Amino acid sequence: MILRARQMLRCRQDALRTQRLSNARGVRFAPQELVEVEAALVRIDEGCFGGCECCGGAIGRQRLLAVPEARYCLGCADRRRALAPGR
């Protein structure tokens, strides 16, 4: 699971960095996404990948396969979105 997530994150990191370099040609780039991807790679290296930063529980295999840069389990992510300004 960790190896697959690392591979997915590195591919996304490469794609985002390429977009950043191409940005001068009008390609849309989301710098926050690159920050999240790189933070997930650091969590893998530090051995804390897959743990929710809010409740400390497991994020869940299916969620990590869908969103490998996820910082929060689905329950905590939903609660954070519900409390976000502008809702």
Side-chain angles (χ1 to χ4, degrees):
M1 167 67 194
I2 298 282
L3 293 175
R4 185 172 178 188
R6 179 181 279 133
Q7 181 181 20
M8 291 170 60
L9 288 162
R10 291 218 187 275
C11 286
R12 188 67 189 141
Q13 180 185 42
D14 291 343
L16 289 167
R17 284 181 174 169
T18 301
Q19 285 180 359
R20 182 174 61 186
L21 294 174
S22 302
N23 199 23
R25 292 184 224 150
V27 175
R28 189 166 182 217
F29 172 66
Q32 186 59 36
E33 187 176 356
L34 180 58
V35 169
E36 293 298 326
V37 166
E38 290 177 342
L41 288 166
V42 169
R43 289 192 299 276
I44 288 173
D45 292 341
E46 293 177 347
C48 57
F49 179 77
C52 178
E53 291 183 6
C54 186
C55 72
I59 291 176
R61 180 180 173 84
Q62 293 303 316
R63 178 161 169 75
L64 288 172
L65 288 173
V67 187
E69 67 273 16
R71 292 176 178 263
Y72 308 103
C73 68
L74 193 54
C76 289
D78 286 344
R79 282 188 290 281
R80 290 176 60 82
R81 274 192 295 274
L83 296 173
R87 285 206 128 227

